[in-house]
């Protein structure tokens, strides 16, 4: 056996979920089994050519993901990645916010070792559970020579952190990398790669990473959507210091608008967003379309998200507000996940 090890960090999700009936793939409780249990019952693990360690970092349904859990995950990733005997990490995670955690970790860590998020669409108790195969595939990716960066593995497909998006509510193959396409496929332990591994062009300095890992309060960035009949009322309320004070919330520092089509938005919403900008709130436009990136020929007053979905543009803006409170990089970057 190779002396290098893989660490599997458990955070909960459907992959660790249990239902009363083995035929029930919908009415189950997520985050019931520990990561150690998931590994203990994994068929094929005995033949896996690496020692596998486990650590339970969280135990949640990922709809409830929050900044403190991200910080815990980040600190444990840093801890394990620094060790020479660790080849890579696997993170078991719920599917619902997996893409946000993946993008957060890639943006902060830009790891030179692989950090592989995996998941399941059916609970571990299901007669047709998909978690064990996804976990074996994720281990194969983490053990692959040359693998690097944060990726997601689901239904035999390897997605980059920047592009991966959950696109289906219950299908086993629930994720897509959109126009860019996946990094590759994993078939019975063998990888077939079609793109290079993720590599960030913006690498955060160590003090920034430490700051993010220890931060007590995070900048408040909200997402709004443009739709038929949208008004500026929600934006005005979000930006109002009086409203924030009354409800005991932090003032809004940034807004992401999930715009219609190629970045257009209702004129009343746009007017309210301009007022927000004038009040010092950062505003970025993404699209509510699930494929394609906003493409303008000329610079706009509200910059676009450079192809990031609204939820990832929010992560990018939060990190920017933490590390560059006075200057906005979003809108100037061309692609923050370059390839080798
Ligand atoms: C979750 O995101 O934790 C629950 C749903 C899932 O994992 O598919």
């Amino acid at each position: 056996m190779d002396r290098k090890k893989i660490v599997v960090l458990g955070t909960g999700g459907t992959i660790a979920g249990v239902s009363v009936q083995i035929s029930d793939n919908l009415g189950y409780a997520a985050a019931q089994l520990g990561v150690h249990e998931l590994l203990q019952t994994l068929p094929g693990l005995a033949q896996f050519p690496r020692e596998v360690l486990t650590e339970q970092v969280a135990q949640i349904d990922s709809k409830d993901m929050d900044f403190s859990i991200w910080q815990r995950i980040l600190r444990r990733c840093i801890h394990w990645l620094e060790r020479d005997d660790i080849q890579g990490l696997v993170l078991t995670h719920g599917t619902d916010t997996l893409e946000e955690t993946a993008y957060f970790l890639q943006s902060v860590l830009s790891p030179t070792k692989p950090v592989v998020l995996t998941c399941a669409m059916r609970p571990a108790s299901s007669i047709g559970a998909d978690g064990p195969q996804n976990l074996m595939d994720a281990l194969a990716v983490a053990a692959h020579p040359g693998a690097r960066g944060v990726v997601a593995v689901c239904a035999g497909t390897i997605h980059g952190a920047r592009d991966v998006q959950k696109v289906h509510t219950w299908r086993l193959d629930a994720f897509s990398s959109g126009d860019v396409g996946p990094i590759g496929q994993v078939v019975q332990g063998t990888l077939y790669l079609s793109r290079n591994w993720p590599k960030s062009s913006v690498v955060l300095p160590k003090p920034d990473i430490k700051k993010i890992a220890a931060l007590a309060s995070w900048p408040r960035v909200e997402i709004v959507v443009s739709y038929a009949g949208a008004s500026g009322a929600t934006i005005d309320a979000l930006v109002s210091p009086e409203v924030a004070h009354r409800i005991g919330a932090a003032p809004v520092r940034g807004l992401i608008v999930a715009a219609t089509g190629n970045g257009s938005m209702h004129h009343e919403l746009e007017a309210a967003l301009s007022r927000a900008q004038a009040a010092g709130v950062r505003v970025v436009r993404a699209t509510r379309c699930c494929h394609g990136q906003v493409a303008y020929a000329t610079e706009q007053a509200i910059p676009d998200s450079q192809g990031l979905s609204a939820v990832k543009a929010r992560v990018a803006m939060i990190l920017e507000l933490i590390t560059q409170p006075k200057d906005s990089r979003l809108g100037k970057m061309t692609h923050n996940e370059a390839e080798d």
Side-chain angles (χ1 to χ4, degrees):
M1 181 171 301
D2 195 300
R3 283 174 52 241
K4 292 271 187 202
K5 305 175 182 79
I6 307 287
V7 185
V8 184
L9 304 174
T11 72
T14 296
I15 192 169
V18 173
S19 54
V20 175
Q21 309 278 348
I22 59 167
S23 56
D24 191 353
N25 290 328
L26 301 174
Y28 59 88
Q32 299 301 303
L33 303 177
V35 66
H36 184 64
E37 282 174 272
L38 299 185
L39 264 294
Q40 251 181 348
T41 53
L42 194 60
L45 187 65
Q47 285 77 48
F48 187 67
R50 300 281 184 283
E51 188 180 341
V52 179
L53 312 177
T54 59
E55 180 181 0
Q56 196 74 44
V57 178
Q59 188 65 310
I60 60 157
D61 185 319
S62 81
K63 71 181 172 55
D64 296 323
M65 184 53 74
D66 63 26
F67 296 134
S68 66
I69 299 174
W70 269 359
Q71 286 174 307
R72 210 183 309 152
I73 295 171
L74 177 62
R75 285 194 294 264
R76 296 316 292 162
C77 285
I78 293 170
H79 165 85
W80 289 111
L81 288 171
E82 274 174 1
R83 276 180 45 169
D84 288 340
D85 60 333
I86 302 300
Q87 182 174 2
L89 308 181
V90 170
L91 197 71
T92 57
H93 197 292
T95 58
D96 287 342
T97 58
L98 179 146
E99 67 214 56
E100 290 168 67
T101 301
Y103 184 69
F104 167 73
L105 292 174
Q106 174 64 24
S107 303
V108 176
L109 293 172
S110 314
T112 52
K113 295 179 183 180
V115 175
V116 187
L117 279 77
T118 197
C119 55
M121 291 297 288
R122 291 178 181 162
S125 54
S126 168
I127 193 169
D130 52 330
Q133 184 64 58
N134 286 345
L135 193 46
M136 276 314 292
D137 290 347
L139 286 166
V141 173
H144 186 75
R148 58 175 293 155
V150 181
V151 298
V153 169
C154 182
T157 303
I158 310 163
H159 302 273
R162 188 182 205 272
D163 308 302
V164 64
Q165 189 173 357
K166 187 174 180 182
V167 293
H168 203 278
T169 50
W170 49 261
R171 268 189 205 147
L172 303 192
D173 194 0
F175 289 88
S176 165
S177 288
D179 289 348
V180 172
I183 289 175
Q185 312 291 329
V186 48
V187 185
Q188 235 166 286
T190 301
L191 271 59
Y192 298 90
L193 300 175
S194 34
R195 292 174 51 207
N196 285 330
W197 299 98
K199 179 172 168 255
S200 292
S201 53
V202 180
V203 177
L204 287 185
K206 275 221 167 103
D208 279 347
I209 300 175
K210 277 197 181 150
K211 186 174 167 187
I212 292 162
L215 209 65
S217 76
W218 289 49
R220 185 170 162 219
V221 176
E222 301 287 355
I223 298 174
V224 293
V225 183
S226 186
Y227 43 80
S231 80
T234 307
I235 308 287
D236 291 337
L238 278 170
V239 170
S240 160
E242 292 77 35
V243 173
H245 181 73
R246 207 172 329 129
I247 63 172
V252 165
R253 304 270 309 278
L255 290 168
I256 307 296
V257 54
T260 40
N262 187 26
S264 62
M265 60 191 89
H266 193 287
H267 67 94
E268 287 193 24
L269 195 71
E270 189 153 20
L273 289 167
S274 300
R275 289 195 291 279
Q277 279 181 313
V281 174
R282 265 180 217 185
V283 182
V284 160
R285 77 175 86 209
T287 176
R288 65 179 214 184
C289 293
C290 105
H291 293 303
Q293 82 171 76
V294 174
Y296 280 109
T298 55
E299 203 169 316
Q300 302 291 304
I302 298 176
D304 71 77
S305 64
Q306 302 291 298
L308 292 176
S309 64
V311 292
K312 288 183 187 172
R314 176 175 174 268
V315 174
M317 190 185 280
I318 288 170
L319 294 175
E320 215 180 76
L321 283 162
I322 295 168
T323 58
Q324 307 209 339
K326 292 209 162 50
D327 174 40
S328 172
R329 268 185 294 137
L330 200 63
K332 293 178 196 150
M333 290 184 301
T334 47
H335 200 295
N336 88 334
E337 195 178 275
E339 293 182 340
D340 276 327

Tab-separated table of all heavy atoms in Angstrom, residues 128-155:
chain	number	residue	atom	x	y	z
A	128	GLY	N	-31.542	1.753	-3.891
A	128	GLY	CA	-30.715	2.156	-5.047
A	128	GLY	C	-29.793	3.309	-4.693
A	128	GLY	O	-29.639	4.245	-5.488
A	129	ALA	N	-29.182	3.247	-3.525
A	129	ALA	CA	-28.341	4.367	-3.072
A	129	ALA	C	-27.198	4.645	-4.052
A	129	ALA	O	-26.525	3.717	-4.507
A	129	ALA	CB	-27.776	4.056	-1.685
A	130	ASP	N	-26.995	5.927	-4.349
A	130	ASP	CA	-25.917	6.317	-5.266
A	130	ASP	C	-24.666	6.793	-4.523
A	130	ASP	O	-23.594	6.947	-5.126
A	130	ASP	CB	-26.395	7.410	-6.232
A	130	ASP	CG	-27.027	8.608	-5.533
A	130	ASP	OD1	-27.623	8.422	-4.442
A	130	ASP	OD2	-26.941	9.726	-6.055
A	131	GLY	N	-24.792	7.003	-3.207
A	131	GLY	CA	-23.660	7.524	-2.431
A	131	GLY	C	-22.412	6.664	-2.479
A	131	GLY	O	-21.306	7.182	-2.711
A	132	PRO	N	-22.528	5.320	-2.290
A	132	PRO	CA	-21.308	4.494	-2.266
A	132	PRO	C	-20.484	4.610	-3.551
A	132	PRO	O	-19.264	4.750	-3.501
A	132	PRO	CB	-21.859	3.075	-2.060
A	132	PRO	CG	-23.147	3.291	-1.315
A	132	PRO	CD	-23.722	4.564	-1.851
A	133	GLN	N	-21.150	4.579	-4.709
A	133	GLN	CA	-20.403	4.696	-5.974
A	133	GLN	C	-19.773	6.088	-6.101
A	133	GLN	O	-18.610	6.221	-6.517
A	133	GLN	CB	-21.328	4.428	-7.165
A	133	GLN	CG	-20.603	4.426	-8.498
A	133	GLN	CD	-19.586	3.289	-8.602
A	133	GLN	OE1	-19.950	2.122	-8.477
A	133	GLN	NE2	-18.309	3.622	-8.803
A	134	ASN	N	-20.541	7.125	-5.716
A	134	ASN	CA	-19.983	8.487	-5.784
A	134	ASN	C	-18.756	8.619	-4.888
A	134	ASN	O	-17.760	9.254	-5.251
A	134	ASN	CB	-21.041	9.522	-5.364
A	134	ASN	CG	-22.096	9.730	-6.436
A	134	ASN	OD1	-21.911	9.337	-7.590
A	134	ASN	ND2	-23.208	10.348	-6.071
A	135	LEU	N	-18.835	7.989	-3.709
A	135	LEU	CA	-17.709	8.058	-2.768
A	135	LEU	C	-16.488	7.321	-3.317
A	135	LEU	O	-15.351	7.826	-3.248
A	135	LEU	CB	-18.160	7.479	-1.419
A	135	LEU	CG	-17.298	7.703	-0.192
A	135	LEU	CD1	-16.821	9.143	-0.066
A	135	LEU	CD2	-18.068	7.298	1.069
A	136	MET	N	-16.715	6.148	-3.907
A	136	MET	CA	-15.585	5.418	-4.513
A	136	MET	C	-14.972	6.238	-5.653
A	136	MET	O	-13.746	6.316	-5.804
A	136	MET	CB	-16.039	4.050	-5.066
A	136	MET	CG	-16.104	2.916	-4.064
A	136	MET	SD	-14.686	2.751	-2.969
A	136	MET	CE	-13.386	2.237	-4.075
A	137	ASP	N	-15.840	6.859	-6.466
A	137	ASP	CA	-15.347	7.683	-7.585
A	137	ASP	C	-14.542	8.881	-7.057
A	137	ASP	O	-13.486	9.234	-7.609
A	137	ASP	CB	-16.526	8.205	-8.434
A	137	ASP	CG	-17.213	7.102	-9.227
A	137	ASP	OD1	-16.651	5.989	-9.322
A	137	ASP	OD2	-18.324	7.350	-9.745
A	138	ALA	N	-15.042	9.488	-5.982
A	138	ALA	CA	-14.352	10.655	-5.406
A	138	ALA	C	-12.979	10.240	-4.865
A	138	ALA	O	-11.984	10.962	-5.022
A	138	ALA	CB	-15.200	11.275	-4.300
A	139	LEU	N	-12.918	9.046	-4.245
A	139	LEU	CA	-11.622	8.562	-3.738
A	139	LEU	C	-10.653	8.342	-4.902
A	139	LEU	O	-9.457	8.671	-4.807
A	139	LEU	CB	-11.814	7.265	-2.949
A	139	LEU	CG	-12.439	7.428	-1.554
A	139	LEU	CD1	-12.902	6.081	-1.000
A	139	LEU	CD2	-11.449	8.080	-0.585
A	140	ALA	N	-11.178	7.791	-6.003
A	140	ALA	CA	-10.317	7.558	-7.181
A	140	ALA	C	-9.772	8.885	-7.702
A	140	ALA	O	-8.600	8.978	-8.100
A	140	ALA	CB	-11.109	6.840	-8.269
A	141	VAL	N	-10.607	9.927	-7.699
A	141	VAL	CA	-10.148	11.239	-8.177
A	141	VAL	C	-9.097	11.808	-7.214
A	141	VAL	O	-8.049	12.315	-7.648
A	141	VAL	CB	-11.348	12.213	-8.338
A	141	VAL	CG1	-10.867	13.617	-8.675
A	141	VAL	CG2	-12.291	11.703	-9.420
A	142	ALA	N	-9.349	11.684	-5.912
A	142	ALA	CA	-8.401	12.232	-4.922
A	142	ALA	C	-7.049	11.518	-4.994
A	142	ALA	O	-6.011	12.103	-4.664
A	142	ALA	CB	-8.995	12.129	-3.521
A	143	ALA	N	-7.064	10.258	-5.403
A	143	ALA	CA	-5.815	9.474	-5.454
A	143	ALA	C	-5.123	9.581	-6.817
A	143	ALA	O	-4.043	9.032	-7.014
A	143	ALA	CB	-6.123	8.001	-5.155
A	144	HIS	N	-5.748	10.283	-7.748
A	144	HIS	CA	-5.209	10.336	-9.124
A	144	HIS	C	-3.959	11.224	-9.185
A	144	HIS	O	-4.006	12.382	-8.748
A	144	HIS	CB	-6.280	10.891	-10.061
A	144	HIS	CG	-5.897	10.850	-11.497
A	144	HIS	ND1	-5.896	9.690	-12.252
A	144	HIS	CD2	-5.478	11.835	-12.328
A	144	HIS	CE1	-5.521	9.956	-13.477
A	144	HIS	NE2	-5.250	11.252	-13.556
A	145	PRO	N	-2.859	10.720	-9.755
A	145	PRO	CA	-1.647	11.548	-9.830
A	145	PRO	C	-1.923	12.806	-10.663
A	145	PRO	O	-2.509	12.710	-11.737
A	145	PRO	CB	-0.639	10.652	-10.547
A	145	PRO	CG	-1.237	9.300	-10.604
A	145	PRO	CD	-2.711	9.416	-10.388
A	146	GLY	N	-1.533	13.946	-10.144
A	146	GLY	CA	-1.720	15.196	-10.893
A	146	GLY	C	-3.036	15.899	-10.626
A	146	GLY	O	-3.220	17.048	-11.032
A	147	ALA	N	-3.969	15.226	-9.956
A	147	ALA	CA	-5.243	15.896	-9.656
A	147	ALA	C	-4.978	17.069	-8.718
A	147	ALA	O	-4.149	16.984	-7.808
A	147	ALA	CB	-6.211	14.915	-9.011
A	148	ARG	N	-5.685	18.176	-8.944
A	148	ARG	CA	-5.485	19.359	-8.104
A	148	ARG	C	-6.744	20.214	-8.126
A	148	ARG	O	-7.568	20.109	-9.026
A	148	ARG	CB	-4.309	20.200	-8.619
A	148	ARG	CG	-4.481	20.664	-10.059
A	148	ARG	CD	-3.366	21.578	-10.492
A	148	ARG	NE	-3.431	22.821	-9.759
A	148	ARG	CZ	-2.371	23.620	-9.540
A	148	ARG	NH1	-1.183	23.280	-9.995
A	148	ARG	NH2	-2.515	24.743	-8.889
A	149	GLY	N	-6.864	21.054	-7.126
A	149	GLY	CA	-7.979	21.996	-7.101
A	149	GLY	C	-9.244	21.388	-6.525
A	149	GLY	O	-9.314	20.193	-6.241
A	150	VAL	N	-10.248	22.247	-6.379
A	150	VAL	CA	-11.517	21.783	-5.812
A	150	VAL	C	-12.437	21.355	-6.953
A	150	VAL	O	-12.690	22.120	-7.883
A	150	VAL	CB	-12.181	22.898	-4.973
A	150	VAL	CG1	-13.495	22.392	-4.378
A	150	VAL	CG2	-11.244	23.378	-3.871
A	151	VAL	N	-12.906	20.122	-6.867
A	151	VAL	CA	-13.805	19.578	-7.886
A	151	VAL	C	-14.980	18.892	-7.185
A	151	VAL	O	-14.928	18.619	-5.984
A	151	VAL	CB	-13.083	18.570	-8.819
A	151	VAL	CG1	-11.954	19.241	-9.581
A	151	VAL	CG2	-12.566	17.362	-8.045
A	152	ALA	N	-16.011	18.623	-7.960
A	152	ALA	CA	-17.157	17.874	-7.442
A	152	ALA	C	-17.308	16.619	-8.280
A	152	ALA	O	-17.138	16.666	-9.509
A	152	ALA	CB	-18.411	18.719	-7.519
A	153	VAL	N	-17.625	15.513	-7.617
A	153	VAL	CA	-17.830	14.256	-8.337
A	153	VAL	C	-19.222	13.739	-8.026
A	153	VAL	O	-19.583	13.552	-6.858
A	153	VAL	CB	-16.755	13.214	-7.935
A	153	VAL	CG1	-17.120	11.835	-8.468
A	153	VAL	CG2	-15.386	13.629	-8.469
A	154	CYS	N	-20.007	13.544	-9.063
A	154	CYS	CA	-21.373	13.008	-8.900
A	154	CYS	C	-21.734	12.246	-10.168
A	154	CYS	O	-21.463	12.735	-11.286
A	154	CYS	CB	-22.349	14.154	-8.668
A	154	CYS	SG	-24.041	13.593	-8.389
A	155	ALA	N	-22.311	11.081	-10.010
A	155	ALA	CA	-22.776	10.259	-11.144
A	155	ALA	C	-21.677	10.051	-12.180
A	155	ALA	O	-21.907	10.158	-13.388
A	155	ALA	CB	-24.018	10.896	-11.778
